[in-house]
Tab-separated table of all heavy atoms in Angstrom:
chain	number	residue	atom	x	y	z
A	183	ALA	N	0.051	-26.284	-17.748
A	183	ALA	CA	0.481	-27.645	-18.085
A	183	ALA	C	1.951	-27.851	-17.733
A	183	ALA	O	2.342	-28.920	-17.235
A	183	ALA	CB	0.241	-27.908	-19.569
A	184	ALA	N	2.773	-26.818	-17.985
A	184	ALA	CA	4.196	-26.926	-17.658
A	184	ALA	C	4.413	-27.020	-16.145
A	184	ALA	O	5.283	-27.755	-15.676
A	184	ALA	CB	4.947	-25.730	-18.231
A	185	ILE	N	3.602	-26.295	-15.374
A	185	ILE	CA	3.741	-26.311	-13.919
A	185	ILE	C	3.267	-27.642	-13.340
A	185	ILE	O	3.908	-28.210	-12.444
A	185	ILE	CB	2.965	-25.138	-13.297
A	185	ILE	CG1	3.614	-23.800	-13.678
A	185	ILE	CG2	2.895	-25.261	-11.777
A	185	ILE	CD1	2.818	-22.579	-13.270
A	186	LEU	N	2.148	-28.145	-13.843
A	186	LEU	CA	1.592	-29.398	-13.314
A	186	LEU	C	2.302	-30.625	-13.876
A	186	LEU	O	2.191	-31.719	-13.310
A	186	LEU	CB	0.095	-29.476	-13.628
A	186	LEU	CG	-0.788	-28.421	-12.962
A	186	LEU	CD1	-2.239	-28.608	-13.390
A	186	LEU	CD2	-0.681	-28.476	-11.445
A	187	GLY	N	2.990	-30.463	-15.008
A	187	GLY	CA	3.692	-31.587	-15.604
A	187	GLY	C	2.801	-32.526	-16.375
A	187	GLY	O	3.133	-33.709	-16.546
A	188	ARG	N	1.668	-32.022	-16.843
A	188	ARG	CA	0.773	-32.852	-17.654
A	188	ARG	C	-0.057	-31.940	-18.547
A	188	ARG	O	-0.143	-30.726	-18.321
A	188	ARG	CB	-0.146	-33.699	-16.760
A	188	ARG	CG	-1.193	-32.906	-16.001
A	188	ARG	CD	-2.195	-33.820	-15.312
A	188	ARG	NE	-3.330	-33.097	-14.793
A	188	ARG	CZ	-3.379	-32.541	-13.593
A	188	ARG	NH1	-2.343	-32.624	-12.781
A	188	ARG	NH2	-4.470	-31.908	-13.203
A	189	GLU	N	-0.695	-32.535	-19.540
A	189	GLU	CA	-1.520	-31.761	-20.461
A	189	GLU	C	-2.797	-31.312	-19.760
A	189	GLU	O	-3.373	-32.039	-18.949
A	189	GLU	CB	-1.864	-32.620	-21.686
A	189	GLU	CG	-2.602	-31.862	-22.770
A	189	GLU	CD	-2.904	-32.732	-23.975
A	189	GLU	OE1	-2.431	-33.899	-23.984
A	189	GLU	OE2	-3.610	-32.258	-24.879
A	190	VAL	N	-3.227	-30.094	-20.076
A	190	VAL	CA	-4.426	-29.519	-19.467
A	190	VAL	C	-5.478	-29.346	-20.554
A	190	VAL	O	-5.297	-28.568	-21.502
A	190	VAL	CB	-4.120	-28.165	-18.788
A	190	VAL	CG1	-5.405	-27.510	-18.313
A	190	VAL	CG2	-3.167	-28.364	-17.624
A	191	THR	N	-6.592	-30.075	-20.421
A	191	THR	CA	-7.696	-29.963	-21.384
A	191	THR	C	-8.969	-29.439	-20.732
A	191	THR	O	-9.883	-29.004	-21.409
A	191	THR	CB	-7.989	-31.330	-22.017
A	191	THR	OG1	-8.270	-32.276	-20.978
A	191	THR	CG2	-6.778	-31.798	-22.829
A	192	ALA	N	-9.016	-29.512	-19.412
A	192	ALA	CA	-10.164	-28.997	-18.648
A	192	ALA	C	-9.619	-28.369	-17.374
A	192	ALA	O	-8.411	-28.387	-17.122
A	192	ALA	CB	-11.139	-30.131	-18.320
A	193	MET	N	-10.530	-27.803	-16.589
A	193	MET	CA	-10.088	-27.136	-15.369
A	193	MET	C	-9.387	-28.133	-14.447
A	193	MET	O	-9.988	-29.106	-14.000
A	193	MET	CB	-11.288	-26.520	-14.639
A	193	MET	CG	-10.898	-25.807	-13.359
A	193	MET	SD	-12.341	-25.084	-12.534
A	193	MET	CE	-11.567	-24.377	-11.087
A	194	PRO	N	-8.101	-27.904	-14.132
A	194	PRO	CA	-7.383	-28.846	-13.259
A	194	PRO	C	-7.958	-28.822	-11.843
A	194	PRO	O	-8.349	-27.762	-11.329
A	194	PRO	CB	-5.947	-28.321	-13.284
A	194	PRO	CG	-5.870	-27.396	-14.452
A	194	PRO	CD	-7.235	-26.825	-14.616
A	195	ILE	N	-8.002	-29.969	-11.205
A	195	ILE	CA	-8.503	-30.051	-9.840
A	195	ILE	C	-7.620	-29.253	-8.889
A	195	ILE	O	-8.081	-28.746	-7.867
A	195	ILE	CB	-8.584	-31.537	-9.398
A	195	ILE	CG1	-9.276	-31.656	-8.040
A	195	ILE	CG2	-7.192	-32.161	-9.351
A	195	ILE	CD1	-10.718	-31.233	-8.032
A	196	GLU	N	-6.324	-29.101	-9.255
A	196	GLU	CA	-5.397	-28.351	-8.394
A	196	GLU	C	-5.797	-26.887	-8.260
A	196	GLU	O	-5.465	-26.243	-7.257
A	196	GLU	CB	-3.976	-28.447	-8.956
A	196	GLU	CG	-3.346	-29.824	-8.860
A	196	GLU	CD	-3.696	-30.710	-10.035
A	196	GLU	OE1	-4.557	-30.304	-10.855
A	196	GLU	OE2	-3.103	-31.789	-10.142
A	197	VAL	N	-6.492	-26.352	-9.261
A	197	VAL	CA	-6.923	-24.952	-9.198
A	197	VAL	C	-7.849	-24.731	-8.011
A	197	VAL	O	-7.786	-23.709	-7.322
A	197	VAL	CB	-7.609	-24.551	-10.514
A	197	VAL	CG1	-8.260	-23.176	-10.398
A	197	VAL	CG2	-6.593	-24.558	-11.658
A	198	ARG	N	-8.727	-25.708	-7.753
A	198	ARG	CA	-9.648	-25.586	-6.613
A	198	ARG	C	-9.006	-26.020	-5.317
A	198	ARG	O	-9.381	-25.545	-4.245
A	198	ARG	CB	-10.910	-26.411	-6.883
A	198	ARG	CG	-11.808	-25.817	-7.952
A	198	ARG	CD	-13.063	-26.641	-8.134
A	198	ARG	NE	-12.778	-27.955	-8.699
A	198	ARG	CZ	-13.705	-28.899	-8.882
A	198	ARG	NH1	-14.942	-28.678	-8.501
A	198	ARG	NH2	-13.369	-30.045	-9.415
A	199	GLN	N	-8.037	-26.908	-5.391
A	199	GLN	CA	-7.435	-27.432	-4.173
A	199	GLN	C	-6.436	-26.473	-3.547
A	199	GLN	O	-6.266	-26.466	-2.330
A	199	GLN	CB	-6.742	-28.767	-4.475
A	199	GLN	CG	-7.704	-29.912	-4.770
A	199	GLN	CD	-6.967	-31.192	-5.137
A	199	GLN	OE1	-5.816	-31.164	-5.558
A	199	GLN	NE2	-7.661	-32.326	-4.978
A	200	MET	N	-5.770	-25.640	-4.348
A	200	MET	CA	-4.747	-24.747	-3.805
A	200	MET	C	-5.405	-23.485	-3.245
A	200	MET	O	-5.437	-22.436	-3.879
A	200	MET	CB	-3.705	-24.386	-4.872
A	200	MET	CG	-2.455	-23.770	-4.264
A	200	MET	SD	-1.188	-23.312	-5.480
A	200	MET	CE	-1.965	-21.930	-6.274
A	201	ARG	N	-5.909	-23.599	-2.026
A	201	ARG	CA	-6.596	-22.476	-1.384
A	201	ARG	C	-5.658	-21.614	-0.549
A	201	ARG	O	-6.036	-20.534	-0.108
A	201	ARG	CB	-7.739	-22.993	-0.505
A	201	ARG	CG	-8.817	-23.720	-1.291
A	201	ARG	CD	-9.911	-24.224	-0.371
A	201	ARG	NE	-10.971	-24.882	-1.112
A	201	ARG	CZ	-12.015	-24.263	-1.629
A	201	ARG	NH1	-12.138	-22.959	-1.467
A	201	ARG	NH2	-12.940	-24.921	-2.306
A	202	SER	N	-4.460	-22.106	-0.259
A	202	SER	CA	-3.494	-21.348	0.527
A	202	SER	C	-2.092	-21.768	0.120
A	202	SER	O	-1.905	-22.744	-0.625
A	202	SER	CB	-3.694	-21.595	2.026
A	202	SER	OG	-3.321	-22.925	2.365
A	203	ILE	N	-1.109	-21.038	0.612
A	203	ILE	CA	0.271	-21.340	0.257
A	203	ILE	C	0.695	-22.699	0.789
A	203	ILE	O	1.566	-23.357	0.223
A	203	ILE	CB	1.205	-20.215	0.776
A	203	ILE	CG1	2.612	-20.395	0.215
A	203	ILE	CG2	1.220	-20.163	2.291
A	203	ILE	CD1	3.535	-19.232	0.501
A	204	GLY	N	0.063	-23.148	1.867
A	204	GLY	CA	0.400	-24.450	2.419
A	204	GLY	C	0.047	-25.597	1.492
A	204	GLY	O	0.612	-26.689	1.601
Side-chain angles (χ1 to χ4, degrees):
I185 293 172
L186 295 179
R188 69 171 191 272
E189 186 179 354
V190 173
T191 56
M193 180 180 179
I195 187 65
E196 291 86 352
V197 171
R198 289 182 293 176
Q199 290 177 338
M200 195 180 70
R201 297 179 178 272
S202 69
I203 189 171

